[in-house]
Amino acid sequence: DQQVKQNSPSLSVQEGRISILNCDYTNSMFDYFLWYKKYPAEGPTFLISISSIKDKNEDGRFTVFLNKSAKHLSLHIVPSQPGDSAVYFCAADTGNQFYFGTGTSLTVIP
Amino acid sequence: DAGVIQSPRHEVTEMGQEVTLRCKPISGHDYLFWYRQTMMRGLELLIYFNNNVPIDDSGMPEDRFSAKMPNASFSTLKIQPSEPRDSAVYFCASSSGGEQYFGPGTRLTVT
């Protein structure tokens, strides 16, 4: 039962353009959402989060949008840089349950 | 702080053998998580502890898997007996609530 879904396994974007990574969830009890970034042979690292009481959170080039009615969140990276090439995981949290998506591999082409 | 420490980084073992993965969380963190990463299912939560007590082990695949946290600075994940389908990268993470901090992972290969 995949409660957090990332339907795009991969995405390629030109350097300088916007990258949009998407995530859908099924559990309305999730109240905290996070994005993690993972490079090969390393553990995931926290990137940005959003509480369910907000619909947008911004940190530099990274913005996360939450649409609770659609049970959808997205991560925008602008402008995209080659160093952003990594696997991005969406995660959701009810406070005592934690779920990760299957990840989206982003390639930023110089 | 050195971050979350996992050992070994790589483990190759034969089917039927016992495998023990180790984790040292970040000092002061009261949550510890064990995950398994596979291509098909992404990051699966196996079990997590709060203040050394297992809270949710519903993700543990079967009785062959067990995890312990004898104190705040150490946890083990044991697979006995191991099977080829257990081959994956196993991550340990810790947190004090909110974002989790992951270790570098243990790549397990069962032949």
Side-chain angles (χ1 to χ4, degrees):
Chain A
D1 178 23
Q2 199 72 20
Q3 297 202 27
V4 176
K5 299 177 185 177
Q6 294 177 257
N7 293 317
S8 297
S10 63
L11 174 69
S12 290
V13 172
Q14 288 285 339
E15 180 178 4
R17 307 295 288 268
I18 185 171
S19 295
I20 300 176
L21 296 97
N22 294 303
C23 179
D24 297 296
Y25 61 95
T26 57
N27 189 343
S28 58
M29 297 300 291
F30 289 138
D31 58 9
Y32 193 57
F33 301 88
L34 309 94
W35 284 94
Y36 289 82
K37 176 179 179 179
K38 184 185 181 302
Y39 292 119
E42 296 182 10
T45 56
F46 169 72
L47 189 57
I48 191 169
S49 63
I50 188 167
S51 164
S52 61
I53 62 173
K54 293 188 172 183
D55 55 18
K56 177 182 174 181
N57 188 27
E58 191 171 354
D59 183 1
R61 297 185 297 114
F62 302 90
T63 303
V64 56
F65 295 91
L66 175 62
N67 182 334
K68 288 187 290 294
S69 61
K71 292 190 175 69
H72 177 83
L73 68 157
S74 60
L75 174 68
H76 293 210
I77 307 173
V78 56
S80 301
Q81 299 174 352
D84 296 330
S85 296
V87 176
Y88 289 78
F89 289 97
C90 168
D93 179 350
T94 64
N96 55 18
Q97 290 181 308
F98 306 89
Y99 294 91
F100 278 75
T102 51
T104 296
S105 178
L106 173 66
T107 301
V108 180
I109 304 163
Chain B
D1 199 317
V4 176
I5 298 172
Q6 290 187 250
S7 65
R9 291 296 310 274
H10 301 273
E11 176 79 38
V12 180
T13 191
E14 291 184 349
M15 183 174 68
Q17 296 297 306
E18 176 180 298
V19 174
T20 300
L21 311 182
R22 296 172 177 79
C23 175
K24 177 178 167 52
I26 292 173
S27 177
H29 282 183
D30 51 1
Y31 286 88
L32 184 139
F33 306 82
W34 283 101
Y35 289 91
R36 176 171 67 177
Q37 184 187 11
T38 62
M39 290 294 291
M40 288 297 294
R41 299 176 69 88
L43 276 168
E44 290 179 275
L45 176 63
L46 301 176
I47 185 171
Y48 81 91
F49 296 83
N50 180 219
N51 292 320
N52 313 338
V53 176
I55 303 300
D56 183 358
D57 65 353
S58 60
M60 296 287 260
E62 47 200 271
D63 292 345
R64 298 185 297 108
F65 285 68
S66 62
K68 294 181 180 178
M69 192 166 185
N71 57 62
S73 59
F74 184 65
S75 177
T76 60
L77 177 69
K78 186 177 293 187
I79 309 173
Q80 166 64 18
S82 58
E83 296 182 2
R85 61 192 167 119
D86 301 331
S87 297
V89 180
Y90 291 80
F91 289 102
C92 175
S94 70
S95 83
S96 54
E99 67 266 26
Q100 298 174 24
Y101 294 80
F102 283 76
T106 295
R107 180 172 293 278
L108 173 65
T109 303
V110 183
T111 61

